[in-house]
Amino acid sequence: MNFLDLDINLSKEEKMLKQNANEFARKVMRPIAKELDEMTPEQVIARDSPFWTFMKKGYELGYHSVLIPDSYGGMGLTPLQQAIVYEELAWGSVGLTIALGVASFPAYGASMVPEDTMIEEILVPFCENRDASFVGCWGITEPDHGSDTLMPHHPSFSNPEIPSQCTATLDGDSYIINGQKSAWVSCGTIATHCALFCQVDKSMGHAGGGIFAMPLNLPGVKKGAPLNKIGQRDLNQGEIFFDNVRVPAKYLIVGPEGYETLLEIVLSATTALMGVFGTGVARAAFEEALSYAKTRVQGGKALIEYPTVQTKLFHMLRKVETSRAISRAAYIYNQNTTTPAEEYSIMAKIHGTQAAFDVASEAIQIFGGNGLTKEYLVEKLFRDARAMLIEDGSNDTLAIAGGHKIIETYPRKD
Ligand SMILES: Cc1cc2nc3c(=O)[nH]c(=O)nc-3n(C[C@H](O)[C@H](O)[C@H](O)COP(=O)(O)OP(=O)(O)OC[C@H]3O[C@@H](n4cnc5c(N)ncnc54)[C@H](O)[C@@H]3O)c2cc1C
């Protein structure tokens, strides 16, 4: 569907990026995501699964390196261009988009501290990879600590009484890692590398963390079983266990002294991008509902002719547009500052994912009984959107973190 973009400054190149990403989303992602949605979690990641066909095509086109500068071999996109591409990919499948996104997480982390080891062993090999044999993941949450790990600057974050389940202890020129990450680590059971966020200094609570960009082929690393879940079934998830895993200190991106600050920068990017993904899902649901309302006839008229259906569609599109506006603005702003206004990224995440859920739900209403069946895309979009309200921080706890940030920093001086 040809869709208006309110940004009158989009260049020819940006329009082309959008069109190309949409074509990939429509021709490759949508059909593969539908197949994967009906498979078991084990079938999804089997070597002959269409998941790997998707990953290889994504890597061939460079979509695994959307977030990486071209100086390291990444796509070298501006924040606006990244948001444009990601909205289109999420329109195709948010689960598959997140698979590609987290695949780049160790490289993305490594690009923040361009040390030689990171460049030679992580960044360049990842960007050059074309057969999806280098897959990253982001391990931050733990079985007993989900929201706890994602609330920097909240009083609970620096409470030493709240222990962590994954720790790193310095031993000579290495760290010894013990413990585990939660069953929710996206691409956790298939990843070759991990951006591991774990505790280094217990006296600082979760704030005493460190970030490693590390390979997962080290002795003592084990993976859990792939998780079975309601939505985003095309996205693999599972635990990673660490049993006395010796990691050379050269893989440490940041230690306790800068952990909370860097985490806030990372979260300002990821939460705003969740808003971008939500926009893509909401738009997909809106488009499905609009097409259906034009063809479904009841009471002798197409549904679209009824004013109540028209107003429903209007409000759906309103949510798509406002999501795009806040998500793009928050992402672009926070990518251009070293002191992120995290509360705006949180707004983007909450607004965009709630829009995805609301619009998908309204779309099902317009489809009537048909919308509840697997015959129609809106059923999958609704389940995918439901997961987004919890993914990357539950919307409730993010609102707490956002409120806390506002009280701490307003009126802003910058
Ligand atoms: C699809 C998906 C993908 C994910 N991908 C990853 C990934 O790649 N890597 C990774 O590490 N994790 C990942 N996660 C984990 C995700 O970040 C957590 O699920 C999320 O942060 C919530 O944590 P939890 O599930 O442990 O819930 P909990 O933290 O146990 O929260 C349960 C409920 O309690 C509420 N609550 C919690 N704390 C408070 C509080 N202080 N005050 C008031 N209410 C509170 C929450 O809002 C929620 O409603 C993913 C999750 C999903 C669903």
Side-chain angles (χ1 to χ4, degrees):
M1 187 174 288
N2 197 1
F3 209 85
L4 183 69
D5 196 307
L6 284 179
D7 187 342
I8 54 171
N9 295 316
L10 285 195
S11 65
K12 248 190 196 164
E13 187 199 351
E14 283 153 356
K15 287 179 186 160
M16 190 55 79
L17 268 173
K18 186 179 168 110
Q19 196 180 314
N20 291 343
N22 185 267
E23 196 169 307
F24 177 66
R26 188 161 31 84
K27 292 190 178 157
V28 178
M29 296 176 81
R30 282 257 174 109
I32 287 183
K34 182 172 167 42
E35 263 187 86
L36 297 174
D37 188 50
E38 287 165 24
M39 292 181 172
T40 65
E42 289 76 14
Q43 288 167 340
V44 166
I45 54 166
R47 276 335 295 188
D48 58 353
S49 159
F51 174 80
W52 292 108
T53 312
F54 156 73
M55 288 294 268
K56 283 176 194 162
K57 287 192 176 154
Y59 275 55
E60 274 164 26
L61 294 168
Y63 288 131
H64 65 311
S65 64
V66 167
L67 298 175
I68 314 288
D70 50 2
S71 48
Y72 301 122
M75 282 187 92
L77 303 179
T78 65
L80 170 64
Q81 292 167 345
Q82 293 169 2
I84 289 171
V85 168
Y86 271 143
E87 180 185 325
E88 296 310 314
L89 300 186
W91 175 93
S93 160
V94 65
L96 292 181
T97 304
I98 289 171
L100 275 180
V102 296
S104 72
F105 232 80
Y108 171 64
S111 72
M112 292 177 173
V113 280
E115 303 284 341
D116 285 352
T117 303
M118 300 289 181
I119 296 172
E120 287 157 21
E121 294 186 30
I122 310 271
L123 265 165
V124 173
F126 174 73
C127 291
E128 284 179 349
N129 189 258
R130 288 291 175 265
D131 62 0
S133 56
F134 188 135
V135 177
C137 67
W138 177 24
I140 182 164
T141 58
E142 300 168 354
D144 293 348
H145 303 287
S147 307
D148 285 0
T149 63
L150 296 169
M151 297 174 83
H153 304 299
H154 190 267
S156 66
F157 199 71
S158 44
N159 181 351
E161 303 294 314
I162 302 177
S164 175
Q165 287 168 290
C166 190
T167 59
T169 311
L170 189 62
D171 181 37
D173 58 359
S174 302
Y175 283 87
I176 309 294
I177 304 199
N178 275 298
Q180 75 167 100
K181 286 291 157 183
S182 80
W184 288 104
V185 175
S186 301
C187 290
T189 79
I190 56 171
T192 56
H193 291 72
C194 182
L196 179 68
F197 291 47
C198 66
Q199 191 173 54
V200 177
D201 183 347
K202 287 181 191 167
S203 71
M204 295 168 71
H206 282 286
I211 305 176
F212 293 85
M214 59 180 280
L216 288 173
N217 62 355
L218 301 172
V221 175
K222 280 208 186 87
K223 312 276 188 65
L227 190 69
N228 200 357
K229 61 188 191 296
I230 179 174
Q232 298 182 30
R233 293 178 58 80
D234 43 7
L235 173 64
N236 162 265
Q237 265 142 348
E239 298 114 325
I240 307 179
F241 301 94
F242 301 87
D243 181 9
N244 280 318
V245 177
R246 180 170 285 276
V247 182
K250 62 183 181 176
Y251 292 122
L252 183 71
I253 293 176
V254 72
E257 67 295 340
Y259 179 74
E260 199 167 15
T261 304
L262 196 59
L263 176 61
E264 193 179 14
I265 292 172
V266 170
L267 292 178
S268 294
T270 53
T271 46
L273 285 177
M274 284 299 291
V276 170
F277 300 157
T279 308
V281 174
R283 197 183 103 211
F286 165 77
E287 290 178 13
E288 293 300 303
L290 179 63
S291 303
Y292 186 83
K294 283 182 177 171
T295 53
R296 174 75 174 171
V297 175
Q298 286 298 292
K301 292 198 277 194
L303 294 182
I304 194 85
E305 293 183 44
Y306 291 102
T308 47
V309 175
Q310 290 172 9
T311 51
K312 251 192 212 317
L313 285 163
F314 173 78
H315 287 300
M316 290 160 79
L317 183 57
R318 174 176 62 75
K319 290 179 183 176
V320 173
E321 291 299 322
T322 49
S323 293
R324 182 180 302 114
I326 181 67
S327 304
R328 272 191 195 170
Y331 186 62
I332 292 167
Y333 181 89
N334 281 331
Q335 287 297 295
N336 282 287
T337 174
T338 45
T339 49
E342 196 195 350
E343 63 278 22
Y344 285 91
S345 292
I346 290 175
M347 273 177 227
K349 198 272 179 176
I350 294 177
H351 194 83
T353 56
Q354 190 65 51
F357 181 71
D358 292 347
V359 175
S361 181
E362 283 292 51
I364 288 181
Q365 202 67 20
I366 289 174
F367 272 74
N370 280 339
L372 301 170
T373 70
K374 295 207 175 287
E375 289 298 303
Y376 294 90
L377 179 63
V378 288
E379 183 266 351
K380 174 179 181 294
L381 293 174
F382 178 73
R383 286 184 288 109
D384 286 353
R386 184 63 188 85
M388 299 181 85
L389 303 181
I390 296 169
E391 193 166 18
D392 273 14
S394 83
N395 286 2
D396 314 273
T397 49
L398 287 176
I400 295 170
H404 186 75
K405 181 84 197 208
I406 288 170
I407 291 161
E408 292 284 298
T409 57
Y410 274 71
R412 278 190 163 268
K413 303 213 174 20
D414 46 3

